[in-house]
Amino acid sequence: MPSLTLSHVTKYSYHQPVAFGEHRIMVRPRESYDQRLIDTQLTITPEPAEVRWLHDVFGNAVAIATFDKRAKDLVIDSRVRLDHSPAELQNVDIERYARFYPFTYSSEEMPDLLRSIERQHHDPLREIDSWARRFVAPGGQTDTLAMLSEMTAAIKREFTYVQRPEKGTQSPIETLARRKGTCRDYAMLMIEAVRALGFAARFVSGYVYNPTRRESRTGGGSTHAWVRVYLPGSGWVEFDPTNGIVGNRGLIRVAIARDIYQAVPVSGTWSGFPGSFLDMTVSVDITVDEDETVMQHPSLTA
């Protein structure tokens, strides 16, 4: 069970002091049977007038900060220690009726899964549908886990990973056409593809690290993005198309949402003279305690 120390620092800089509106901060990892928080610290400079915590509709921990001071810099510094017990692929135990595709979710589960099956992006020419169907065996049953694993591997194998500092995400159709993108682009492509096949899927935002020196992970430096697909018998199973892996080995989940825009790590407003904004920097450092250190270079986004 790896024990990790995680630092996530976000800094906004301005030419002159500005006033800050309410900020919504979602950087605290989710507690679960496979990741247990030992200690957490959230330091914000300038010191907020108030910080309150809440759980959003998905159960993510969100800090709401309000300010009464002007400043030239806003720094949000999150420090976390946690135990991480990643699930292995062999622990994915799917109910017999769902081991082969196609299948239908049970009547008990379907009402709660419907919004996660619903498509979020227009696909008028059914390009995503066509791409997703290539993983389905023609004229027979398809092993469910093997199909999803192959889709995950195909994105890593056939697409080129690129970092993009600009905000926003490509549409799944753009990613499919360009054959390149960031981790968040890959996640949204896979989510739409599995939803086209009738699966419930969600977007995951968190952190990626190298469990050992023998293993490498793409997408570090800031937050990372991947996918959860609901499989009866095992529940929500993680798939990382950027790295082509199944399970959460090397992945620390922070936020789970139906759409990427519900899982933004930091959002808020400021007011001041036009052109005051200078830049934003994000750095994430993850240390695997009593093993080795995995340093992630500063970057705006994965």
Side-chain angles (χ1 to χ4, degrees):
M1 178 190 298
S3 180
L4 309 174
T5 300
L6 188 154
S7 166
H8 179 176
V9 181
T10 304
K11 181 178 180 180
Y12 299 89
S13 299
Y14 304 84
H15 288 290
Q16 57 269 323
V18 299
F20 301 107
E22 181 178 276
H23 276 65
R24 184 181 180 91
I25 304 163
M26 193 155 41
V27 294
R28 180 189 174 105
R30 292 175 64 107
E31 295 202 63
S32 182
Y33 63 88
D34 56 359
Q35 54 183 50
R36 182 178 66 88
L37 299 186
I38 301 171
D39 182 53
T40 65
Q41 295 180 347
L42 180 63
T43 304
I44 304 173
T45 307
E47 184 177 354
E50 179 186 29
V51 177
R52 62 185 179 91
W53 288 88
L54 58 85
H55 284 106
D56 68 9
V57 68
F58 299 103
N60 302 312
V62 182
I64 306 295
T66 56
F67 300 85
D68 57 4
K69 301 174 183 176
R70 303 175 72 92
K72 293 179 66 176
D73 298 300
L74 173 62
V75 181
I76 299 169
D77 187 343
S78 172
R79 311 275 171 162
V80 176
R81 288 188 62 237
L82 75 157
D83 286 332
H84 193 224
S85 304
E88 301 295 339
L89 178 59
Q90 59 264 29
N91 293 331
V92 179
D93 186 12
I94 304 175
E95 292 280 1
R96 185 178 298 275
Y97 77 89
R99 291 176 185 172
F100 292 93
Y101 178 86
F103 69 89
T104 302
Y105 291 119
S106 70
S107 58
E108 292 83 5
E109 295 175 326
M110 183 63 85
D112 297 307
L113 296 174
L114 281 174
R115 292 307 305 274
S116 294
I117 300 172
E118 185 178 281
R119 302 281 293 275
Q120 301 292 312
H121 297 267
H122 293 296
D123 185 14
L125 300 180
R126 307 191 77 81
E127 296 170 75
I128 303 300
D129 298 62
S130 298
W131 183 80
R133 299 298 301 183
R134 62 174 273 201
F135 300 99
V136 179
Q141 291 184 321
T142 304
D143 182 281
T144 299
L145 184 58
M147 176 181 67
L148 295 172
S149 299
E150 174 55 25
M151 183 184 293
T152 305
I155 294 175
K156 174 177 172 54
R157 183 174 63 244
E158 299 172 10
F159 291 68
T160 301
Y161 174 81
V162 292
Q163 289 191 332
R164 188 176 64 251
E166 296 84 4
K167 293 182 179 180
T169 304
Q170 294 175 171
S171 72
I173 293 177
E174 288 176 314
T175 302
L176 192 61
R178 295 174 181 175
R179 315 298 285 188
K180 63 181 180 180
T182 67
C183 61
R184 59 188 188 268
D185 298 326
Y186 291 170
M188 291 310 301
L189 169 61
M190 184 167 177
I191 287 172
E192 286 296 293
V194 299
R195 284 174 176 170
L197 298 176
F199 288 95
R202 288 180 174 176
F203 179 88
V204 188
S205 176
Y207 305 106
V208 60
Y209 69 95
N210 299 339
T212 67
R213 292 191 184 277
R214 297 181 301 277
E215 300 175 76
S216 63
R217 296 287 186 268
T218 300
S222 184
T223 54
H224 187 55
W226 62 97
V227 182
R228 288 187 125 193
V229 179
Y230 189 81
L231 299 177
S234 281
W236 295 99
V237 178
E238 271 139 312
F239 297 85
D240 179 3
T242 300
N243 291 291
I245 59 175
V246 180
N248 66 328
R249 182 172 173 79
L251 300 174
I252 304 168
R253 78 183 72 86
V254 171
I256 297 170
R258 185 167 41 83
D259 189 84
I260 185 173
Y261 299 106
Q262 298 167 309
V264 178
V266 179
S267 61
T269 61
W270 64 274
S271 58
F273 291 106
S276 294
F277 180 73
L278 188 58
D279 70 356
M280 166 190 170
T281 59
V282 179
S283 65
V284 174
D285 294 331
I286 301 176
T287 302
V288 183
D289 297 342
E290 300 178 352
D291 184 359
E292 57 193 79
T293 300
V294 182
M295 300 301 291
Q296 306 286 4
H297 294 290
S299 169
L300 288 182
T301 187

